[in-house]
Amino acid sequence: GQQVMQIPQYQHVQEGEDFTTYCNSSTTLSNIQWYKQRPGGHPVFLIQLVKSGEVKKQKRLTFQFGEAKKNSSLHITATQTTDVGTYFCAGPNNQGGKLIFGQGTELSVKP
Amino acid sequence: EAQVTQNPRYLITVTGKKLTVTCSQNMNHEYMSWYRQDPGLGLRQIYYSMNVEVTDKGDVPEGYKVSRKEKRNFPLILESPSPNQTSLYFCASSQTGTGYNEQFFGPGTRLTVL
Protein backbone atom coordinates (compact mmCIF):
# COMPACT_ATOMS: atom_id res chain seq x y z
CA GLY A 1 0.00 0.00 0.00
CA GLN A 2 0.87 3.65 -0.13
CA GLN A 3 3.63 4.56 2.29
CA VAL A 4 5.25 7.73 3.55
CA MET A 5 8.74 7.21 4.94
CA GLN A 6 10.59 9.75 7.01
CA ILE A 7 14.27 9.89 7.97
CA PRO A 8 16.05 10.12 10.24
CA GLN A 9 14.00 8.76 13.12
CA TYR A 10 16.06 10.67 15.67
CA GLN A 11 18.40 13.63 15.43
CA HIS A 12 20.42 15.12 18.24
CA VAL A 13 22.03 18.48 17.55
CA GLN A 14 23.89 21.15 19.41
CA GLU A 15 22.02 24.43 19.67
CA GLY A 16 22.91 26.55 16.67
CA GLU A 17 23.44 23.63 14.31
CA ASP A 18 21.18 23.04 11.34
CA PHE A 19 18.68 20.20 11.07
CA THR A 20 16.96 18.50 8.14
CA THR A 21 14.31 15.81 7.99
CA TYR A 22 13.32 14.07 4.77
CA CYS A 23 10.01 12.63 3.70
CA ASN A 24 9.55 10.17 0.83
CA SER A 25 6.31 8.83 -0.56
CA SER A 26 5.87 5.63 -2.52
CA THR A 27 3.41 7.45 -4.80
CA THR A 28 2.98 10.94 -6.17
CA LEU A 29 1.26 13.24 -3.70
CA SER A 30 -1.24 15.97 -4.49
CA ASN A 31 0.04 17.91 -1.49
CA ILE A 32 2.05 17.42 1.65
CA GLN A 33 1.59 18.74 5.15
CA TRP A 34 4.03 19.14 8.01
CA TYR A 35 3.18 18.95 11.70
CA LYS A 36 5.15 19.51 14.88
CA GLN A 37 4.52 17.71 18.16
CA ARG A 38 6.18 19.12 21.25
CA PRO A 39 7.09 16.61 24.00
CA GLY A 40 3.91 15.65 25.83
CA GLY A 41 1.79 17.55 23.34
CA HIS A 42 -0.30 16.93 20.28
CA PRO A 43 0.59 17.44 16.60
CA VAL A 44 0.14 20.98 15.38
CA PHE A 45 -0.09 21.93 11.72
CA LEU A 46 2.88 23.88 10.40
CA ILE A 47 2.42 24.22 6.66
CA GLN A 48 1.10 22.71 3.44
CA LEU A 49 2.89 22.46 0.11
CA VAL A 50 0.95 21.89 -3.08
CA LYS A 51 3.00 22.82 -6.13
CA SER A 52 5.83 20.85 -7.66
CA GLY A 53 9.18 22.31 -6.54
CA GLU A 54 7.49 24.63 -4.05
CA VAL A 55 9.61 26.20 -1.32
CA LYS A 56 8.10 27.95 1.67
CA LYS A 57 9.78 29.60 4.62
CA GLN A 58 8.67 30.28 8.16
CA LYS A 59 11.41 32.22 9.92
CA ARG A 60 14.21 29.64 10.37
CA LEU A 61 12.18 26.78 8.86
CA THR A 62 12.37 26.01 5.14
CA PHE A 63 9.98 23.52 3.58
CA GLN A 64 10.49 22.05 0.14
CA PHE A 65 8.30 19.87 -2.11
CA GLY A 66 10.12 17.83 -4.73
CA GLU A 67 9.71 18.29 -8.45
CA ALA A 68 8.13 14.86 -8.78
CA LYS A 69 5.90 15.51 -5.75
CA LYS A 70 7.13 12.34 -4.10
CA ASN A 71 9.45 13.82 -1.54
CA SER A 72 9.70 16.75 0.79
CA SER A 73 12.08 18.17 3.33
CA LEU A 74 12.07 20.43 6.34
CA HIS A 75 15.24 22.33 7.14
CA ILE A 76 15.78 24.31 10.34
CA THR A 77 18.61 26.80 10.37
CA ALA A 78 20.45 27.46 13.62
CA THR A 79 18.31 25.29 15.87
CA GLN A 80 17.08 26.57 19.20
CA THR A 81 15.81 24.67 22.24
CA THR A 82 12.29 25.72 21.29
CA ASP A 83 12.61 23.56 18.15
CA VAL A 84 12.62 20.37 20.23
CA GLY A 85 9.88 17.94 19.28
CA THR A 86 8.83 15.45 16.67
CA TYR A 87 8.24 16.59 13.11
CA PHE A 88 5.80 14.67 10.94
CA CYS A 89 5.07 14.86 7.26
CA ALA A 90 1.72 13.68 5.95
CA GLY A 91 0.16 13.17 2.57
CA PRO A 92 -3.33 12.17 1.43
CA ASN A 93 -3.83 8.70 0.05
CA ASN A 94 -4.90 8.20 -3.53
CA GLN A 95 -8.55 7.53 -2.73
CA GLY A 96 -8.98 10.49 -0.42
CA GLY A 97 -10.21 10.46 3.15
CA LYS A 98 -6.98 9.26 4.68
CA LEU A 99 -3.95 11.26 5.63
CA ILE A 100 -0.87 9.04 5.78
CA PHE A 101 1.76 10.16 8.25
CA GLY A 102 5.45 9.48 8.19
CA GLN A 103 6.99 7.92 11.29
CA GLY A 104 8.27 11.30 12.40
CA THR A 105 11.71 12.68 13.21
CA GLU A 106 12.38 13.39 16.85
CA LEU A 107 14.66 16.37 17.29
CA SER A 108 16.54 17.04 20.48
CA VAL A 109 18.64 20.17 20.92
CA LYS A 110 21.46 20.39 23.42
CA PRO A 111 21.96 23.91 24.81
CA GLU B 1 -12.04 28.97 21.20
CA ALA B 2 -11.81 26.53 18.30
CA GLN B 3 -10.74 23.19 19.64
CA VAL B 4 -10.93 19.41 19.70
CA THR B 5 -11.54 17.90 23.10
CA GLN B 6 -11.01 14.33 24.24
CA ASN B 7 -11.99 12.54 27.40
CA PRO B 8 -10.58 11.00 29.40
CA ARG B 9 -7.00 12.23 29.08
CA TYR B 10 -5.62 9.24 30.96
CA LEU B 11 -7.14 5.83 31.50
CA ILE B 12 -5.90 2.62 33.06
CA THR B 13 -8.18 -0.34 32.56
CA VAL B 14 -8.14 -4.12 32.47
CA THR B 15 -8.41 -6.55 29.62
CA GLY B 16 -11.95 -7.03 28.38
CA LYS B 17 -13.61 -4.08 30.07
CA LYS B 18 -15.43 -2.05 27.45
CA LEU B 19 -14.50 1.60 27.26
CA THR B 20 -15.31 4.69 25.22
CA VAL B 21 -13.07 7.65 24.50
CA THR B 22 -15.06 10.71 23.55
CA CYS B 23 -14.04 13.29 20.99
CA SER B 24 -15.78 16.56 20.23
CA GLN B 25 -14.99 19.51 17.96
CA ASN B 26 -16.63 22.94 17.87
CA MET B 27 -15.51 24.01 14.40
CA ASN B 28 -18.33 22.45 12.38
CA HIS B 29 -15.78 20.25 10.62
CA GLU B 30 -17.01 17.53 8.30
CA TYR B 31 -14.02 15.24 8.71
CA MET B 32 -12.94 13.52 11.91
CA SER B 33 -10.37 10.84 12.53
CA TRP B 34 -8.78 8.70 15.21
CA TYR B 35 -5.07 7.90 15.38
CA ARG B 36 -2.91 5.89 17.66
CA GLN B 37 0.69 6.83 18.31
CA ASP B 38 3.27 4.25 19.27
CA PRO B 39 7.07 4.73 19.56
CA GLY B 40 8.78 4.37 16.21
CA LEU B 41 5.50 3.91 14.33
CA GLY B 42 4.31 7.48 14.05
CA LEU B 43 0.61 8.20 13.78
CA ARG B 44 -1.51 5.38 12.44
CA GLN B 45 -5.08 5.98 11.47
CA ILE B 46 -7.72 3.80 13.12
CA TYR B 47 -11.00 5.08 11.66
CA TYR B 48 -12.16 8.21 9.96
CA SER B 49 -15.44 9.87 9.13
CA MET B 50 -16.09 12.05 6.10
CA ASN B 51 -19.38 13.31 7.55
CA VAL B 52 -22.32 12.34 9.74
CA GLU B 53 -23.17 8.64 9.44
CA VAL B 54 -20.18 8.08 7.10
CA THR B 55 -17.29 6.17 8.64
CA ASP B 56 -14.52 4.04 7.20
CA LYS B 57 -11.57 1.96 8.32
CA GLY B 58 -8.09 3.38 8.52
CA ASP B 59 -4.92 1.34 8.63
CA VAL B 60 -5.35 -0.31 12.04
CA PRO B 61 -9.11 -0.70 12.72
CA GLU B 62 -9.08 -4.14 14.40
CA GLY B 63 -10.47 -4.06 17.93
CA TYR B 64 -12.06 -0.61 17.57
CA LYS B 65 -15.48 0.77 16.70
CA VAL B 66 -16.66 4.28 15.97
CA SER B 67 -19.90 6.09 15.31
CA ARG B 68 -20.76 9.53 13.92
CA LYS B 69 -24.33 10.33 14.86
CA GLU B 70 -23.68 14.05 15.20
CA LYS B 71 -21.28 16.27 13.35
CA ARG B 72 -19.39 17.39 16.42
CA ASN B 73 -18.84 14.01 18.12
CA PHE B 74 -16.80 10.99 17.10
CA PRO B 75 -16.40 8.51 19.95
CA LEU B 76 -13.91 5.64 19.84
CA ILE B 77 -15.15 2.39 21.37
CA LEU B 78 -13.02 -0.51 22.54
CA GLU B 79 -15.45 -3.37 23.09
CA SER B 80 -12.90 -5.73 24.64
CA PRO B 81 -9.59 -3.93 25.18
CA SER B 82 -6.38 -5.93 25.10
CA PRO B 83 -2.85 -5.00 26.23
CA ASN B 84 -1.72 -4.38 22.62
CA GLN B 85 -4.14 -1.46 22.54
CA THR B 86 -2.08 0.34 25.15
CA SER B 87 -1.18 3.50 23.30
CA LEU B 88 -1.57 7.25 22.97
CA TYR B 89 -4.73 8.11 21.06
CA PHE B 90 -5.46 11.31 19.18
CA CYS B 91 -8.69 12.53 17.70
CA ALA B 92 -8.44 15.04 14.87
CA SER B 93 -10.78 17.05 12.69
CA SER B 94 -10.55 19.08 9.51
CA GLN B 95 -12.91 21.12 7.38
CA THR B 96 -13.16 18.39 4.75
CA GLY B 97 -11.63 15.02 4.05
CA THR B 98 -9.95 16.01 0.80
CA GLY B 99 -6.51 16.02 2.41
CA TYR B 100 -6.04 19.72 1.61
CA ASN B 101 -7.21 21.01 4.98
CA GLU B 102 -5.09 21.16 8.08
CA GLN B 103 -6.01 18.72 10.79
CA PHE B 104 -6.68 19.95 14.31
CA PHE B 105 -5.70 17.45 16.97
CA GLY B 106 -7.12 16.89 20.40
CA PRO B 107 -4.83 16.77 23.44
CA GLY B 108 -4.59 12.98 23.39
CA THR B 109 -5.72 10.09 25.58
CA ARG B 110 -3.10 7.87 27.13
CA LEU B 111 -4.60 4.41 27.53
CA THR B 112 -3.06 1.55 29.47
CA VAL B 113 -4.67 -1.88 29.29
CA LEU B 114 -3.48 -4.32 31.95
Side-chain angles (χ1 to χ4, degrees):
Chain A
Q2 187 178 355
Q3 288 185 319
V4 175
M5 307 297 290
Q6 204 173 337
I7 56 169
Q9 190 171 352
Y10 303 99
Q11 185 80 60
H12 309 285
V13 300
Q14 194 77 33
E15 189 172 22
E17 292 181 339
D18 291 357
F19 159 77
T20 304
T21 174
Y22 300 91
C23 184
N24 293 289
S25 171
S26 58
T27 61
T28 302
L29 298 170
S30 56
N31 58 293
I32 194 158
Q33 298 178 350
W34 285 90
Y35 292 79
K36 177 183 179 182
Q37 182 180 19
R38 293 182 188 275
H42 57 275
V44 175
F45 176 83
L46 291 176
I47 207 162
Q48 175 168 266
L49 304 170
V50 179
K51 298 177 185 176
S52 169
E54 188 170 14
V55 178
K56 286 188 176 180
K57 292 191 176 185
Q58 289 180 349
K59 298 182 181 178
R60 294 178 294 102
L61 278 61
T62 301
F63 303 84
Q64 196 161 1
F65 201 11
E67 294 289 340
K69 301 183 78 173
K70 293 183 73 174
N71 56 71
S72 181
S73 64
L74 158 59
H75 179 81
I76 302 178
T77 303
T79 54
Q80 299 176 359
T81 54
T82 53
D83 296 324
V84 164
T86 301
Y87 293 84
F88 291 98
C89 62
N93 81 331
N94 299 328
Q95 290 81 38
K98 294 165 81 170
L99 198 62
I100 302 174
F101 282 81
Q103 300 96 320
T105 295
E106 183 178 339
L107 172 66
S108 63
V109 179
K110 190 174 182 181
Chain B
E1 181 191 354
Q3 60 181 348
V4 178
T5 56
Q6 293 179 231
N7 282 292
R9 294 289 314 278
Y10 303 90
L11 179 61
I12 301 175
T13 189
V14 295
T15 299
K17 187 176 182 183
K18 181 180 178 179
L19 66 92
T20 299
V21 184
T22 64
C23 173
S24 183
Q25 50 93 4
N26 63 0
M27 296 168 278
N28 201 36
H29 284 169
E30 292 181 351
Y31 181 88
M32 297 186 75
S33 181
W34 276 102
Y35 298 89
R36 61 178 289 173
Q37 184 174 23
D38 303 288
L41 298 178
L43 292 158
R44 294 183 293 166
Q45 193 172 40
I46 302 170
Y47 270 95
Y48 64 95
S49 169
M50 297 289 271
N51 215 323
V52 176
E53 301 290 4
V54 181
T55 62
D56 209 344
K57 296 177 181 179
D59 295 316
V60 288
E62 294 78 21
Y64 305 94
K65 284 176 59 178
V66 293
S67 68
R68 187 95 181 272
K69 294 184 172 60
E70 307 163 281
K71 200 169 188 179
R72 63 183 295 126
N73 296 324
F74 190 45
L76 179 69
I77 303 156
L78 284 71
E79 295 268 3
S80 183
S82 62
N84 64 12
Q85 292 178 298
T86 292
S87 187
L88 179 57
Y89 291 87
F90 288 103
C91 179
S93 73
S94 62
Q95 188 65 49
T96 69
T98 61
Y100 282 96
N101 305 112
E102 69 173 279
Q103 294 211 0
F104 293 83
F105 284 80
T109 296
R110 186 166 292 282
L111 172 66
T112 301
V113 183
L114 302 175

